[in-house]
Amino acid sequence: MAIDREQLLHTAELARLELRDDELERLGLQLNDIIEAVSKVSELDLSDVPPTSHPLDVVNVWGADEPRASLTVEEALANAPEREGDSFRVPPGGS
């Protein structure tokens, strides 16, 4: 299954790409090479391979979420450039 110039132009239009003729030719060759490489998978006997959404086991790398004591106000504001009472003081903002 090869991609032809019309399909390539349609895809470029959908992606809002303006391609010169030399770019269309090069991209067409590259896409056809990719399609050919991927199509080789259909030549394999995969009847004993179960369908999967991910080739590797997906595991959570984070530790257990366990409650612990919070920072005190003094600890939380220790490195604040400025503070006002128990809050960070920030300059009045504008955009």
Side-chain angles (χ1 to χ4, degrees):
M1 170 187 164
I3 188 167
D4 63 27
R5 184 178 174 84
E6 292 306 312
Q7 291 171 315
L8 192 54
L9 287 168
H10 179 68
T11 304
E13 182 181 346
L14 292 174
R16 299 199 182 348
L17 297 175
E18 292 183 25
L19 300 173
R20 298 183 313 263
D21 284 340
D22 63 314
E23 292 172 319
L24 280 170
E25 185 177 334
R26 187 177 73 241
L27 185 59
L29 291 171
Q30 291 171 345
L31 286 174
N32 283 320
D33 286 346
I34 292 168
I35 290 170
E36 183 182 334
V38 171
S39 69
K40 293 190 182 294
V41 172
S42 65
E43 298 171 13
L44 301 173
D45 176 16
L46 302 175
S47 58
D48 62 337
V49 178
T52 180
S53 63
H54 199 281
L56 304 173
D57 289 335
V58 179
V59 295
N60 186 355
V61 297
W62 304 105
D65 189 12
E66 306 211 1
R68 62 178 181 205
S70 299
L71 296 175
T72 66
V73 172
E74 290 304 317
E75 290 170 326
L77 297 175
N79 293 320
E82 293 185 50
R83 67 185 273 187
E84 188 171 305
D86 289 344
S87 302
F88 288 96
R89 179 173 173 80
V90 295
S95 45

